[in-house]
Amino acid sequence: MTALNPDPAFASQAAFRALMEAFARPGEMRTLRGVTAPAPLAPATAALVQSLADYETPVWLDRSLAGAPAVAEWIRFHSNAPLVTDPGDAAFALVADPHTMPDFARFAPGSEEYPDRSTTVVIQVERFCGRSFSIEGPGNKTARSLAAEPLPDDFVERLHANRELFPRGIDLVLIAGERVTALPRSIRVVMET
Amino acid sequence: MSAPVYNFAYLDEQTKRMIRRAILKAIAIPGYQVPFASREMPMPYGWGTGGVQVTASILGPEDVLKVIDQGSDDTTNAVSIRKFFTKTAGVRTTTSTLEATVIQTRHRIPETPLSETQVLVYQVPIPEPLRFLEPRETETRRMHALSEYGLMHVKLYEDIARHGHIATTYAYPVKVDERYVMDPSPIPKFDNPKLSDCPALQLFGAGREKRIYAIPPYTRVVSLDFEDHPFQPYRHDAQCELCGAADSYLDEVITDDRGSRMFVCSDTDYCETRRAMGYAAPARNSDAEPARD
């Protein structure tokens, strides 16, 4: 049994504020305090689920998370979110193994009229270092450099294609340990040389 | 047991989650109006129910809240909303723009430049900039989807044809990050330049119309205009008669029933801070006003 947080309102507010700041300043690192959850669900991802998911938000799990029944149980018990098998139906998609993550096109990009009806994809990475890329756009005064691994080899191309869809598109959250950053669809990516 | 009468910041947790998800999508799509399931609040529509719901959803126990109504910290709307959050969230409140972490505003942007650690929450009566040109929601939604904003330019052009200049003085339409045309809420167009490249996150909440939208920090926001009729912010050609400021937005205050009037800063905190620093009223010109007949 996992103990229930004595102050759920404050904990979810703190998690949300970290995510709001992360969305507002893409690429900037924020601290998202984790909660105890069964592996391979990272504690910070679990905190995001607790803070934002509920019966209104279908959640999709990648193969590695879906392979651990305790994860699905934890999500159902703590958020009451329905679990879906088609990533295109998901409000939140959780990815524990970035190498095998589906193409961005398989998630919901929203429609031209309702671009907000799109998937937020949460990717658990191991660390924020490695090959870096630079992002520009709303939220950053100047270009900001970001690196994370592991990520799919064509991650930057996928981000490019995602921006092409704007205002449709998916929004990404990257989590490593208690550090979190976001890549909303509004960013423009430039590869670093 | 000392069970709290309200959940922290009044709203229940499910409502907050729904609003928080809308806020994240709003930030990801700058200027796009995200529909949300606006709740009934213990205040009438038009009193800032949208702004209050946004504030309630982002507020934490560490926050310091400032609320202004037309720039003023001490009008009814501002005082009631401040009291509401003191009672339901127990947060510290302030009138100082510098001290605040969350500023809820009705129809002004503070004169003091905002910082990266602040969030500005606007109360919005009518979020759809195209509403008075096209009443059907299905149509305005399609127009936003197609970036079909010609009608707005026709409206501004008709202003010029009729008045010789763009006569829109408040709620002046802007384009956010070269994509969505957005209503900045009824701020005077004097404030429009402050929307652009602002270090603070700006959130907009419309309670009756059930929409939330956002301008992320450092986002380019352009007031619509024409090459030969460029956007011009308006300010009364006067100085504040309390602090002498020549750069702030001024309110015109009628002081008696014989036409006497004075101009004072609309931003009370800005004016008080300046007076505390020793700035004073400018020397009055000999019999400046009224001197009609």
Side-chain angles (χ1 to χ4, degrees), chain A residues 110-125:
Chain A
S111 63
E112 294 285 352
E113 278 90 353
Y114 292 96
D116 56 302
R117 296 178 181 173
S118 53
T119 309
T120 302
V121 182
V122 183
I123 306 175
Q124 295 179 185
V125 294

PDB file of all heavy atoms in Angstrom, chain A residues 110-125:
ATOM      1  N   GLY A 110      -5.300  17.082 -32.042  1.00  0.00           N
ATOM      2  CA  GLY A 110      -6.376  18.064 -31.983  1.00  0.00           C
ATOM      3  C   GLY A 110      -6.823  18.419 -33.390  1.00  0.00           C
ATOM      4  O   GLY A 110      -6.263  17.928 -34.370  1.00  0.00           O
ATOM      5  N   SER A 111      -7.852  19.263 -33.493  1.00  0.00           N
ATOM      6  CA  SER A 111      -8.335  19.665 -34.815  1.00  0.00           C
ATOM      7  C   SER A 111      -7.992  21.131 -35.033  1.00  0.00           C
ATOM      8  O   SER A 111      -7.566  21.821 -34.111  1.00  0.00           O
ATOM      9  CB  SER A 111      -9.846  19.454 -34.898  1.00  0.00           C
ATOM     10  OG  SER A 111     -10.498  20.278 -33.950  1.00  0.00           O
ATOM     11  N   GLU A 112      -8.209  21.620 -36.251  1.00  0.00           N
ATOM     12  CA  GLU A 112      -7.952  23.038 -36.530  1.00  0.00           C
ATOM     13  C   GLU A 112      -8.822  23.920 -35.643  1.00  0.00           C
ATOM     14  O   GLU A 112      -8.395  24.972 -35.181  1.00  0.00           O
ATOM     15  CB  GLU A 112      -8.238  23.358 -38.002  1.00  0.00           C
ATOM     16  CG  GLU A 112      -7.306  22.667 -38.994  1.00  0.00           C
ATOM     17  CD  GLU A 112      -5.916  23.304 -39.039  1.00  0.00           C
ATOM     18  OE1 GLU A 112      -5.730  24.355 -38.416  1.00  0.00           O
ATOM     19  OE2 GLU A 112      -5.032  22.722 -39.687  1.00  0.00           O
ATOM     20  N   GLU A 113     -10.072  23.479 -35.404  1.00  0.00           N
ATOM     21  CA  GLU A 113     -10.980  24.275 -34.575  1.00  0.00           C
ATOM     22  C   GLU A 113     -10.698  24.106 -33.085  1.00  0.00           C
ATOM     23  O   GLU A 113     -10.867  25.035 -32.320  1.00  0.00           O
ATOM     24  CB  GLU A 113     -12.442  23.884 -34.844  1.00  0.00           C
ATOM     25  CG  GLU A 113     -13.056  24.543 -36.056  1.00  0.00           C
ATOM     26  CD  GLU A 113     -12.840  23.700 -37.305  1.00  0.00           C
ATOM     27  OE1 GLU A 113     -12.102  22.697 -37.224  1.00  0.00           O
ATOM     28  OE2 GLU A 113     -13.413  24.053 -38.348  1.00  0.00           O
ATOM     29  N   TYR A 114     -10.299  22.898 -32.699  1.00  0.00           N
ATOM     30  CA  TYR A 114     -10.030  22.620 -31.285  1.00  0.00           C
ATOM     31  C   TYR A 114      -8.636  22.006 -31.117  1.00  0.00           C
ATOM     32  O   TYR A 114      -8.512  20.823 -30.776  1.00  0.00           O
ATOM     33  CB  TYR A 114     -11.084  21.671 -30.705  1.00  0.00           C
ATOM     34  CG  TYR A 114     -12.465  22.276 -30.603  1.00  0.00           C
ATOM     35  CD1 TYR A 114     -13.410  22.073 -31.600  1.00  0.00           C
ATOM     36  CD2 TYR A 114     -12.821  23.055 -29.503  1.00  0.00           C
ATOM     37  CE1 TYR A 114     -14.671  22.627 -31.516  1.00  0.00           C
ATOM     38  CE2 TYR A 114     -14.080  23.611 -29.409  1.00  0.00           C
ATOM     39  CZ  TYR A 114     -15.006  23.393 -30.415  1.00  0.00           C
ATOM     40  OH  TYR A 114     -16.255  23.951 -30.324  1.00  0.00           O
ATOM     41  N   PRO A 115      -7.587  22.801 -31.356  1.00  0.00           N
ATOM     42  CA  PRO A 115      -6.235  22.241 -31.238  1.00  0.00           C
ATOM     43  C   PRO A 115      -5.875  21.828 -29.808  1.00  0.00           C
ATOM     44  O   PRO A 115      -4.880  21.126 -29.599  1.00  0.00           O
ATOM     45  CB  PRO A 115      -5.336  23.394 -31.720  1.00  0.00           C
ATOM     46  CG  PRO A 115      -6.157  24.622 -31.565  1.00  0.00           C
ATOM     47  CD  PRO A 115      -7.579  24.209 -31.753  1.00  0.00           C
ATOM     48  N   ASP A 116      -6.696  22.245 -28.825  1.00  0.00           N
ATOM     49  CA  ASP A 116      -6.402  21.879 -27.437  1.00  0.00           C
ATOM     50  C   ASP A 116      -6.752  20.423 -27.150  1.00  0.00           C
ATOM     51  O   ASP A 116      -6.323  19.872 -26.138  1.00  0.00           O
ATOM     52  CB  ASP A 116      -7.173  22.792 -26.477  1.00  0.00           C
ATOM     53  CG  ASP A 116      -8.672  22.764 -26.738  1.00  0.00           C
ATOM     54  OD1 ASP A 116      -9.083  23.080 -27.872  1.00  0.00           O
ATOM     55  OD2 ASP A 116      -9.433  22.406 -25.822  1.00  0.00           O
ATOM     56  N   ARG A 117      -7.533  19.799 -28.037  1.00  0.00           N
ATOM     57  CA  ARG A 117      -7.920  18.405 -27.789  1.00  0.00           C
ATOM     58  C   ARG A 117      -6.817  17.474 -28.304  1.00  0.00           C
ATOM     59  O   ARG A 117      -7.012  16.706 -29.234  1.00  0.00           O
ATOM     60  CB  ARG A 117      -9.248  18.103 -28.483  1.00  0.00           C
ATOM     61  CG  ARG A 117     -10.373  18.951 -27.892  1.00  0.00           C
ATOM     62  CD  ARG A 117     -11.673  18.702 -28.612  1.00  0.00           C
ATOM     63  NE  ARG A 117     -12.725  19.553 -28.045  1.00  0.00           N
ATOM     64  CZ  ARG A 117     -13.933  19.661 -28.556  1.00  0.00           C
ATOM     65  NH1 ARG A 117     -14.257  18.967 -29.636  1.00  0.00           N
ATOM     66  NH2 ARG A 117     -14.824  20.457 -28.001  1.00  0.00           N
ATOM     67  N   SER A 118      -5.676  17.584 -27.688  1.00  0.00           N
ATOM     68  CA  SER A 118      -4.488  16.900 -28.174  1.00  0.00           C
ATOM     69  C   SER A 118      -3.788  16.193 -27.020  1.00  0.00           C
ATOM     70  O   SER A 118      -4.031  16.491 -25.854  1.00  0.00           O
ATOM     71  CB  SER A 118      -3.549  17.928 -28.793  1.00  0.00           C
ATOM     72  OG  SER A 118      -3.326  18.966 -27.863  1.00  0.00           O
ATOM     73  N   THR A 119      -2.916  15.267 -27.357  1.00  0.00           N
ATOM     74  CA  THR A 119      -2.247  14.471 -26.337  1.00  0.00           C
ATOM     75  C   THR A 119      -1.055  15.224 -25.745  1.00  0.00           C
ATOM     76  O   THR A 119      -0.309  15.878 -26.464  1.00  0.00           O
ATOM     77  CB  THR A 119      -1.733  13.150 -26.944  1.00  0.00           C
ATOM     78  OG1 THR A 119      -2.799  12.531 -27.648  1.00  0.00           O
ATOM     79  CG2 THR A 119      -1.204  12.215 -25.868  1.00  0.00           C
ATOM     80  N   THR A 120      -0.911  15.129 -24.439  1.00  0.00           N
ATOM     81  CA  THR A 120       0.313  15.571 -23.781  1.00  0.00           C
ATOM     82  C   THR A 120       1.140  14.308 -23.533  1.00  0.00           C
ATOM     83  O   THR A 120       0.693  13.393 -22.852  1.00  0.00           O
ATOM     84  CB  THR A 120       0.002  16.264 -22.437  1.00  0.00           C
ATOM     85  OG1 THR A 120      -0.863  17.367 -22.688  1.00  0.00           O
ATOM     86  CG2 THR A 120       1.281  16.750 -21.765  1.00  0.00           C
ATOM     87  N   VAL A 121       2.332  14.249 -24.147  1.00  0.00           N
ATOM     88  CA  VAL A 121       3.152  13.047 -24.063  1.00  0.00           C
ATOM     89  C   VAL A 121       4.257  13.252 -23.025  1.00  0.00           C
ATOM     90  O   VAL A 121       5.043  14.200 -23.129  1.00  0.00           O
ATOM     91  CB  VAL A 121       3.770  12.712 -25.438  1.00  0.00           C
ATOM     92  CG1 VAL A 121       4.588  11.430 -25.351  1.00  0.00           C
ATOM     93  CG2 VAL A 121       2.683  12.571 -26.493  1.00  0.00           C
ATOM     94  N   VAL A 122       4.260  12.389 -22.024  1.00  0.00           N
ATOM     95  CA  VAL A 122       5.252  12.485 -20.957  1.00  0.00           C
ATOM     96  C   VAL A 122       6.333  11.428 -21.210  1.00  0.00           C
ATOM     97  O   VAL A 122       6.038  10.236 -21.262  1.00  0.00           O
ATOM     98  CB  VAL A 122       4.606  12.245 -19.577  1.00  0.00           C
ATOM     99  CG1 VAL A 122       5.635  12.414 -18.468  1.00  0.00           C
ATOM    100  CG2 VAL A 122       3.422  13.181 -19.380  1.00  0.00           C
ATOM    101  N   ILE A 123       7.561  11.876 -21.418  1.00  0.00           N
ATOM    102  CA  ILE A 123       8.645  10.959 -21.729  1.00  0.00           C
ATOM    103  C   ILE A 123       9.628  10.893 -20.557  1.00  0.00           C
ATOM    104  O   ILE A 123      10.161  11.927 -20.139  1.00  0.00           O
ATOM    105  CB  ILE A 123       9.401  11.401 -23.002  1.00  0.00           C
ATOM    106  CG1 ILE A 123       8.422  11.591 -24.165  1.00  0.00           C
ATOM    107  CG2 ILE A 123      10.474  10.379 -23.378  1.00  0.00           C
ATOM    108  CD1 ILE A 123       9.067  12.146 -25.424  1.00  0.00           C
ATOM    109  N   GLN A 124       9.846   9.701 -20.048  1.00  0.00           N
ATOM    110  CA  GLN A 124      10.842   9.525 -18.988  1.00  0.00           C
ATOM    111  C   GLN A 124      12.204   9.289 -19.638  1.00  0.00           C
ATOM    112  O   GLN A 124      12.398   8.307 -20.342  1.00  0.00           O
ATOM    113  CB  GLN A 124      10.469   8.329 -18.112  1.00  0.00           C
ATOM    114  CG  GLN A 124       9.170   8.535 -17.354  1.00  0.00           C
ATOM    115  CD  GLN A 124       8.774   7.347 -16.494  1.00  0.00           C
ATOM    116  OE1 GLN A 124       7.707   7.350 -15.915  1.00  0.00           O
ATOM    117  NE2 GLN A 124       9.632   6.329 -16.409  1.00  0.00           N
ATOM    118  N   VAL A 125      13.129  10.217 -19.404  1.00  0.00           N
ATOM    119  CA  VAL A 125      14.492  10.037 -19.905  1.00  0.00           C
ATOM    120  C   VAL A 125      15.400   9.744 -18.714  1.00  0.00           C
ATOM    121  O   VAL A 125      14.978   9.856 -17.554  1.00  0.00           O
ATOM    122  CB  VAL A 125      14.983  11.285 -20.682  1.00  0.00           C
ATOM    123  CG1 VAL A 125      14.179  11.464 -21.952  1.00  0.00           C
ATOM    124  CG2 VAL A 125      14.902  12.532 -19.816  1.00  0.00           C
TER     125      VAL A 125
END
